[in-house]
Coordinates of all heavy atoms in Angstrom, one line a residue:
Q36 N -21.6 34.1 15.4 CA -21.4 35.3 14.6 C -22.6 35.6 13.6 O -23.1 36.8 13.5 CB -20.2 35.3 13.7 CG -18.9 35.2 14.5 CD -18.5 36.6 15.0 OE1 -19.1 37.3 15.8 NE2 -17.4 37.1 14.4
L37 N -23.2 34.5 13.1 CA -24.3 34.7 12.1 C -25.5 35.2 12.9 O -26.3 36.1 12.4 CB -24.6 33.4 11.5 CG -23.6 33.0 10.4 CD1 -23.8 31.5 10.0 CD2 -23.8 33.9 9.1
S38 N -25.8 34.6 14.1 CA -27.0 35.1 14.8 C -26.9 36.5 15.3 O -27.9 37.3 15.3 CB -27.3 34.1 16.0 OG -26.2 34.1 16.9
H39 N -25.7 36.9 15.7 CA -25.5 38.3 16.2 C -25.6 39.2 15.0 O -26.1 40.3 15.2 CB -24.1 38.4 16.9 CG -24.1 37.7 18.2 ND1 -23.0 37.6 19.0 CD2 -25.1 37.1 19.0 CE1 -23.2 37.0 20.1 NE2 -24.6 36.7 20.1
T40 N -25.1 38.8 13.9 CA -25.2 39.6 12.7 C -26.6 39.9 12.3 O -27.0 41.0 11.9 CB -24.4 39.0 11.5 OG1 -23.0 38.9 11.9 CG2 -24.5 39.8 10.2
L41 N -27.4 38.9 12.3 CA -28.9 39.0 12.0 C -29.6 40.0 12.9 O -30.4 40.7 12.6 CB -29.5 37.7 11.9 CG -31.0 37.7 11.6 CD1 -31.3 38.3 10.3 CD2 -31.6 36.2 11.6
L42 N -29.2 39.7 14.3 CA -29.9 40.5 15.3 C -29.6 42.0 15.1 O -30.4 42.9 15.3 CB -29.4 40.1 16.7 CG -30.0 40.8 17.9 CD1 -31.5 40.5 17.9 CD2 -29.4 40.3 19.2
H44 N -28.7 43.5 12.3 CA -29.2 44.1 11.0 C -30.5 43.4 10.6 O -30.6 42.8 9.6 CB -28.1 43.8 9.9 CG -26.7 44.3 10.2 ND1 -25.8 43.7 11.0 CD2 -26.2 45.5 9.9 CE1 -24.7 44.4 11.1 NE2 -24.9 45.6 10.4
L45 N -31.5 43.6 11.5 CA -32.7 42.9 11.3 C -33.6 43.7 10.3 O -34.1 44.8 10.7 CB -33.5 42.8 12.7 CG -34.6 41.7 12.8 CD1 -34.1 40.3 12.4 CD2 -35.1 41.8 14.1
G46 N -33.8 43.2 9.2 CA -34.5 43.8 8.1 C -34.3 42.9 6.9 O -33.6 41.9 7.0
W47 N -35.0 43.2 5.8 CA -34.9 42.4 4.6 C -33.5 42.3 4.1 O -33.0 41.1 3.8 CB -35.8 42.9 3.5 CG -37.3 42.7 3.7 CD1 -38.2 43.6 4.1 CD2 -37.9 41.4 3.9 NE1 -39.4 43.0 4.3 CE2 -39.3 41.6 4.1 CE3 -37.5 40.1 3.7 CZ2 -40.2 40.5 4.2 CZ3 -38.4 39.0 3.8 CH2 -39.8 39.3 4.0
L48 N -32.7 43.4 4.1 CA -31.4 43.3 3.5 C -30.5 42.6 4.5 O -29.8 41.8 4.0 CB -30.9 44.8 3.4 CG -29.4 44.9 2.8 CD1 -29.4 44.3 1.4 CD2 -29.0 46.4 2.7
G49 N -30.6 42.8 5.8 CA -29.8 42.1 6.7 C -30.1 40.6 6.7 O -29.1 39.8 6.8
A50 N -31.4 40.3 6.6 CA -31.7 38.8 6.5 C -31.1 38.1 5.3 O -30.6 37.0 5.3 CB -33.2 38.7 6.4
L51 N -31.2 38.8 4.1 CA -30.6 38.2 2.9 C -29.1 38.1 3.0 O -28.5 37.1 2.5 CB -30.9 39.2 1.6 CG -32.4 39.1 1.2 CD1 -32.6 40.1 0.0 CD2 -32.7 37.7 0.7
Q52 N -28.4 39.1 3.6 CA -27.0 39.1 3.8 C -26.6 38.0 4.7 O -25.6 37.2 4.4 CB -26.5 40.4 4.3 CG -26.6 41.6 3.3 CD -26.2 42.9 3.9 OE1 -26.1 43.1 5.1 NE2 -26.0 43.9 3.0
T53 N -27.3 37.8 5.8 CA -27.0 36.7 6.8 C -27.2 35.4 6.1 O -26.5 34.5 6.3 CB -27.9 36.9 8.0 OG1 -27.7 38.2 8.6 CG2 -27.5 35.9 9.1
L54 N -28.3 35.3 5.4 CA -28.6 34.0 4.8 C -27.5 33.6 3.7 O -27.1 32.4 3.7 CB -30.0 34.1 4.0 CG -30.5 32.8 3.3 CD1 -30.7 31.7 4.4 CD2 -31.7 33.0 2.5
L55 N -27.0 34.6 3.0 CA -26.0 34.3 2.0 C -24.7 33.9 2.8 O -24.0 32.9 2.4 CB -25.7 35.6 1.2 CG -24.6 35.5 0.1 CD1 -25.0 36.4 -1.1 CD2 -23.2 35.8 0.6
L56 N -24.4 34.5 3.9 CA -23.2 34.2 4.7 C -23.4 32.8 5.2 O -22.4 32.0 5.3 CB -23.0 35.2 5.8 CG -22.6 36.6 5.3 CD1 -22.5 37.6 6.5 CD2 -21.3 36.7 4.5
L57 N -24.6 32.5 5.7 CA -24.8 31.1 6.2 C -24.6 30.0 5.2 O -24.1 29.0 5.5 CB -26.3 31.0 6.8 CG -26.7 29.6 7.2 CD1 -25.8 29.1 8.3 CD2 -28.2 29.6 7.7
F58 N -25.1 30.3 3.9 CA -24.9 29.4 2.9 C -23.4 29.1 2.6 O -23.0 28.0 2.4 CB -25.5 30.0 1.5 CG -27.0 29.6 1.3 CD1 -27.8 29.6 2.4 CD2 -27.5 29.5 0.1 CE1 -29.1 29.3 2.3 CE2 -28.9 29.2 -0.1 CZ -29.7 29.1 1.0
A59 N -22.6 30.2 2.7 CA -21.1 30.0 2.5 C -20.6 29.2 3.6 O -19.8 28.3 3.4 CB -20.5 31.4 2.4
I99 N -17.3 37.7 9.5 CA -18.7 37.7 9.2 C -19.4 39.1 9.5 O -20.1 39.5 8.7 CB -19.4 36.6 10.0 CG1 -19.1 35.2 9.2 CG2 -20.9 36.7 10.0 CD1 -19.7 34.0 9.9
F103 N -20.0 42.5 4.7 CA -20.6 43.5 3.7 C -20.2 44.9 4.0 O -20.8 45.9 3.7 CB -22.2 43.4 3.8 CG -22.7 42.1 3.1 CD1 -22.8 40.9 3.8 CD2 -22.9 42.1 1.7 CE1 -23.3 39.7 3.1 CE2 -23.3 41.0 1.0 CZ -23.5 39.8 1.8
L166 N -23.9 41.8 -2.6 CA -24.9 40.8 -2.4 C -25.2 40.1 -3.8 O -25.4 38.8 -3.8 CB -26.2 41.4 -1.9 CG -27.4 40.4 -1.5 CD1 -26.9 39.5 -0.3 CD2 -28.6 41.3 -1.1
V292 N -30.8 29.1 13.5 CA -30.1 30.4 13.7 C -31.2 31.6 13.9 O -31.0 32.4 14.8 CB -29.2 30.8 12.5 CG1 -28.7 32.2 12.5 CG2 -28.0 29.8 12.4
V293 N -32.2 31.5 13.1 CA -33.2 32.5 13.2 C -34.0 32.4 14.5 O -34.3 33.4 15.1 CB -34.2 32.4 12.0 CG1 -35.4 33.5 12.2 CG2 -33.4 32.8 10.7
V296 N -32.2 34.0 17.4 CA -32.4 35.5 17.3 C -33.8 35.8 17.9 O -33.9 36.7 18.8 CB -32.3 36.0 15.9 CG1 -32.7 37.5 15.9 CG2 -30.9 35.8 15.4

Side-chain angles (χ1 to χ4, degrees):
Q36 292 282 71
L37 288 166
S38 62
H39 288 174
T40 298
L41 178 59
L42 181 63
H44 300 87
L45 198 57
W47 286 111
L48 180 60
L51 286 173
Q52 290 175 347
T53 305
L54 183 63
L55 186 147
L56 297 175
L57 173 60
F58 273 34
I99 285 174
F103 285 91
L166 183 66
V292 170
V293 176
V296 173

